[in-house]
Amino acid sequence: MKSFKQGMIFTAVLTLGAAALTGCGGQSLAETPSSSGAAAAGVFKNAAPTGDLAAAQIAAINVDADLAARVPGAIKTGGLKIAAAEGYPPMEMFDTDGKTMIGVDMSLARAMGNLLGVEAKISNSDVSGMMPGVVSGRFDVLMSGFNDTAERREKVSFVDYAKSSGSIMVAKGNPEGIKSPADLCGETMAVLDNGYYMQLAEQFSKDCETKNEKPIKILGFANDPEALLQVQNGRAVAGLNDYPVAVFRAKESNGALEAIEIPGSSLFGIAIDPKNEELVKLIQDTMNKLIKDGTYAEILGAWELDRMALPEATVNQGK
């Protein structure tokens, strides 16, 4: 793993007039002005929860003076309000306390908060209300394994920060030799009963028929663990899932399952109100700072998701 390159370090100086604020997952410190002249009073340090696999990387991050100087006043005082939805491990999930959010996105969110010197205020939100919440100003950003798509860009802008690809889940040892969707023709698959992966499975089946091969027999289930159980007990030869979730599920199965990545060009993006162009640029620059100094790669590595890494954070480049 690469050695961690720290950002510009500020010297914390307690003064009689500075009230030390404490909160969940961090603390505020009064600090001396930076060499660039930007005041750094009230800089917040986000501490990672115990279950965060990238806790060491997050703790090592210090404020970047230039980025901190660009933080809007409302975010400096009120924190960066982040919408996320639990239930998408390892991107978003609860820690062992059943209420604190952890995951890849939460690690990156807290890392950005420390680089900017603001509290990362993460809210477990209803999926259907997250994007409207960003547009209305309830949240500053949406960071929840959200794909950057043309349809969604009609309402929000995206800072693209990771690759998003699918994965075929198979039993240990891949007994049927499944290497790609083309190998699924005539086989049985178990997937979530609705949503993207049911649609994808149906498309794979249509592709088989186009090639005059047998269609895929698709079994739908109400949740992901139930669908994957069918792969483990032999009722289905494969399942479908997002790559990061598939890697997590495979690890969770203690070797009973394997994940085969389906290469794609989709991107995970941080959704922001398109009218807030300054915040879009700030979040992009902050993510690129983490990429450039190696922190980003270390965080993804801590979660064993190195293959999701991008060389650069872009804006609205999803397919």
Side-chain angles (χ1 to χ4, degrees):
M1 192 171 287
K2 296 179 180 178
S3 61
F4 185 80
K5 299 178 182 177
Q6 297 184 351
M8 184 175 293
I9 300 176
F10 281 66
T11 303
V13 180
L14 295 176
T15 64
L16 292 175
L21 303 178
T22 60
C24 180
Q27 61 181 354
S28 178
L29 300 173
E31 302 195 5
T32 59
S34 68
S35 59
S36 65
V43 168
F44 193 93
K45 183 79 169 183
N46 294 276
T50 55
D52 193 321
L53 301 184
Q57 287 78 14
I58 294 168
I61 300 170
N62 292 289
V63 176
D64 180 280
D66 293 331
L67 292 172
R70 294 165 52 191
V71 175
I75 294 177
K76 283 183 179 179
T77 57
L80 182 68
K81 300 186 292 295
I82 302 164
E86 185 276 335
Y88 185 49
M91 303 302 290
E92 285 81 32
M93 55 189 178
F94 284 138
D95 204 346
T96 53
D97 63 4
K99 60 182 181 181
T100 305
M101 295 280 284
I102 60 171
V104 181
D105 281 331
M106 307 302 92
S107 296
L108 290 170
R110 292 183 174 106
M112 288 196 301
N114 283 354
L115 205 56
L116 295 172
V118 300
E119 182 178 4
K121 287 191 171 181
I122 301 165
S123 298
N124 183 29
S125 311
D126 179 76
V127 174
S128 62
M130 290 193 297
M131 200 156 66
V134 168
V135 176
S136 69
R138 180 185 175 194
F139 302 113
D140 298 307
V141 303
L142 186 173
M143 196 168 182
S144 192
F146 222 56
N147 284 104
D148 173 358
T149 66
E151 181 180 2
R152 288 171 173 169
R153 288 197 298 272
E154 293 177 3
K155 297 181 179 179
V156 297
S157 286
F158 286 97
V159 173
D160 303 316
Y161 64 97
K163 296 177 186 176
S164 169
S165 57
S167 186
I168 301 172
M169 299 293 292
V170 298
K172 180 181 179 180
N174 193 8
E176 300 298 326
I178 305 297
K179 297 179 180 179
S180 72
D183 298 322
L184 297 169
C185 298
E187 303 288 1
T188 300
M189 292 192 69
V191 300
L192 288 175
D193 204 14
N194 54 59
Y196 174 73
Y197 282 102
M198 174 59 80
Q199 296 172 18
L200 188 60
E202 291 171 346
Q203 183 58 56
F204 289 161
S205 185
K206 290 178 182 177
D207 292 342
C208 291
E209 293 182 279
T210 299
K211 295 183 295 183
N212 294 319
E213 296 188 38
K214 292 182 179 180
I216 300 170
K217 182 180 179 181
I218 304 170
L219 306 178
F221 294 89
N223 58 65
D224 187 46
E226 190 176 356
L228 292 179
L229 180 60
Q230 313 311 309
V231 180
Q232 290 180 262
N233 64 26
R235 188 181 174 196
V237 302
L240 281 176
N241 221 319
D242 283 324
Y243 174 69
V245 179
V247 171
F248 180 84
R249 296 297 192 202
K251 185 177 180 180
E252 195 177 44
S253 74
N254 294 316
L257 296 170
E258 294 181 16
I260 301 169
E261 186 177 5
I262 306 172
S265 56
S266 297
L267 298 172
F268 282 142
I270 302 170
I272 306 169
D273 183 352
K275 296 189 296 294
N276 198 340
E277 295 179 3
E278 291 184 0
L279 184 59
V280 172
K281 180 60 175 170
L282 176 60
I283 294 299
Q284 180 189 18
D285 290 347
T286 302
M287 186 59 68
N288 275 325
K289 172 71 175 179
L290 294 173
I291 291 173
K292 185 176 181 180
D293 69 16
T295 310
Y296 166 84
E298 290 194 351
I299 288 174
L300 292 183
W303 288 97
E304 299 182 12
L305 290 171
D306 310 69
R307 292 178 67 174
M308 289 177 61
L310 290 175
E312 179 185 13
T314 55
V315 174
N316 294 333
Q317 295 300 304
K319 304 298 183 183

